Amino acid sequence: MGITLDATERAMLVGTHGEGVLATTTPSGAPVPLPVWYVVVDGVPYVRTPRTSKRVRHIENNPRVSLLVHAGEAWRELRGVLIAGRAEIVTDPALAVRIEKVLDERFADLLPPPLPDRVAGAYAATVILRITPDRDPVSWDNRKVRL
């Protein structure tokens, strides 16, 4: 028995967690991992980000990304899923509105009311990113390690 998560366990962790690290790359190839809130709709992860963010410019330059979702604090509790793939801006207005609604509902209780002006201004114009895997995710679950 390995320490990987099976498909059901991966779907459960990614589908219910909501917090991850999205890594993009600069034009020089340097990785830029930053925390994000995401939702999974119809099995696909989506992220909202300001339209003017460097993240969007990085993706326009190179759409290859990775999304890391992990949980646990002590080593023996750590588990995670690393999704490598491509990000694209959602251009279908109906889908974008649907994802915005899911994001708003999922994270409404976690936002400070009201957002500081500088942050609210940055999020005044956002885009939705769809993360499409280009291979099976990598996963691990240290809870499965027999010590």
Coordinates of all heavy atoms in Angstrom, one line a residue, residues 24-33 58:
T24 N 2.6 30.2 -10.8 CA 2.8 30.7 -12.2 C 4.3 30.9 -12.4 O 5.1 30.6 -11.5 CB 2.0 32.0 -12.5 OG1 2.5 33.0 -11.6 CG2 0.5 31.8 -12.2
T25 N 4.7 31.3 -13.6 CA 6.1 31.6 -13.8 C 6.3 32.9 -14.4 O 5.5 33.4 -15.2 CB 6.8 30.5 -14.8 OG1 6.0 30.4 -15.9 CG2 6.8 29.2 -14.1
T26 N 7.4 33.6 -14.1 CA 7.7 34.9 -14.7 C 8.3 34.6 -16.1 O 8.6 33.5 -16.4 CB 8.8 35.6 -13.8 OG1 10.0 34.8 -13.9 CG2 8.4 35.8 -12.4
P27 N 8.4 35.7 -16.9 CA 9.0 35.5 -18.2 C 10.4 34.9 -18.2 O 10.8 34.2 -19.1 CB 9.0 36.9 -18.8 CG 7.9 37.6 -18.1 CD 7.9 37.0 -16.7
S28 N 11.1 35.1 -17.1 CA 12.5 34.5 -17.0 C 12.4 33.0 -16.5 O 13.4 32.3 -16.5 CB 13.4 35.3 -16.0 OG 12.9 35.1 -14.7
G29 N 11.2 32.5 -16.2 CA 11.1 31.1 -15.8 C 11.0 30.9 -14.3 O 10.9 29.8 -13.8
A30 N 11.1 32.0 -13.5 CA 11.1 31.9 -12.0 C 9.7 31.5 -11.5 O 8.7 32.1 -12.0 CB 11.6 33.1 -11.4
P31 N 9.6 30.5 -10.7 CA 8.3 30.2 -10.1 C 7.8 31.3 -9.2 O 8.5 31.9 -8.4 CB 8.5 28.9 -9.4 CG 9.9 28.9 -9.0 CD 10.6 29.7 -10.1
V32 N 6.4 31.5 -9.2 CA 5.8 32.5 -8.3 C 4.6 31.8 -7.7 O 3.5 31.8 -8.2 CB 5.3 33.7 -9.1 CG1 4.7 34.7 -8.1 CG2 6.5 34.4 -9.8
P33 N 4.8 31.1 -6.5 CA 3.7 30.5 -5.8 C 3.0 31.4 -4.8 O 3.7 32.0 -4.0 CB 4.4 29.3 -5.1 CG 5.8 29.8 -4.8 CD 6.1 30.8 -6.0
H58 N 1.5 36.7 -16.1 CA 2.3 35.4 -16.2 C 1.6 34.4 -17.0 O 2.2 33.7 -17.8 CB 2.6 34.9 -14.8 CG 3.5 35.8 -14.0 ND1 3.6 35.6 -12.6 CD2 4.3 36.8 -14.3 CE1 4.4 36.5 -12.1 NE2 4.8 37.3 -13.1

